[in-house]
């Protein structure tokens, strides 16, 4: 398998892409978990598990918020008449940090407010990208 991986560029592309996504997620998560530079100094396994789960929860919440913001911007652009290509959207990452001020004061008085339901549907055709992914994985459309 190793020799095939080394000599087969089409096989390496999706593996490298997946590896890059995981590394990006880990860098993003580490950036968010800024307390003690992500080092868990407690020897208590329960506290260690809490710290890990809190960082994962925070990371996923920020990714979700970023994805909602991206979707809203895409909807606004579509309403303005812009043509949005699924291939371009495929290169947008939800691991955005520029808008986050980690060391600010945050109010929690709005935590009990029920948010409006979000619409996950974008008026963009992702079918060609899905077909490319299936073909790259060795599946056909009939499978």
């Amino acid at each position: 398998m190793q020799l095939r991986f080394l000599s087969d560029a089409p096989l390496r592309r999706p593996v490298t892409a997946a590896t890059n996504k995981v590394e990006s997620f880990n860098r993003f998560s580490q950036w968010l978990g800024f307390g003690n530079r992500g080092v868990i100094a407690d020897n208590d396994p329960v506290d260690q598990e809490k710290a890990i789960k809190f960082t994962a929860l925070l990371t996923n919440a920020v990714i979700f918020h970023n994805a909602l913001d991206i979707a809203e911007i895409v909807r606004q652009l579509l309403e303005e008449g812009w043509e949005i290509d699924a291939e371009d959207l495929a290169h947008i990452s939800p691991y955005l940090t520029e808008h986050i001020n980690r060391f600010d004061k945050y109010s929690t008085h709005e935590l009990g407010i029920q948010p409006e339901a979000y619409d996950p549907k974008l008026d963009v055709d992702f079918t060609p990208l899905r077909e490319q992914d299936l073909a790259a994985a060795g599946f056909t459309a009939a499978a």
Side-chain angles (χ1 to χ4, degrees), residues 44-128:
D44 181 6
V46 173
D47 288 340
Q48 291 174 346
E49 185 176 7
K50 284 180 190 176
I52 291 167
K53 287 184 176 183
F54 175 76
T55 300
L57 177 64
L58 177 63
T59 301
N60 289 322
V62 174
I63 289 169
F64 181 66
H65 188 276
N66 286 344
L68 291 177
D69 287 347
I70 292 167
E72 184 58 32
I73 290 167
V74 169
R75 283 188 193 94
Q76 289 173 5
L77 291 171
L78 288 169
E79 286 177 13
E80 292 175 12
W82 290 84
E83 185 176 320
I84 305 295
D85 184 26
E87 184 73 33
D88 294 334
L89 288 179
H91 296 288
I92 296 176
S93 170
Y95 308 142
L96 307 171
T97 59
E98 293 81 12
H99 63 293
I100 300 172
N101 185 351
R102 297 187 304 171
F103 304 108
D104 204 355
K105 294 179 183 175
Y106 292 93
S107 172
T108 57
H109 74 279
E110 295 179 346
L111 288 177
I113 297 174
Q114 181 77 20
E116 292 181 27
Y118 75 96
D119 180 10
K121 177 87 170 93
L122 285 178
D123 194 17
V124 177
D125 183 15
F126 290 99
T127 306

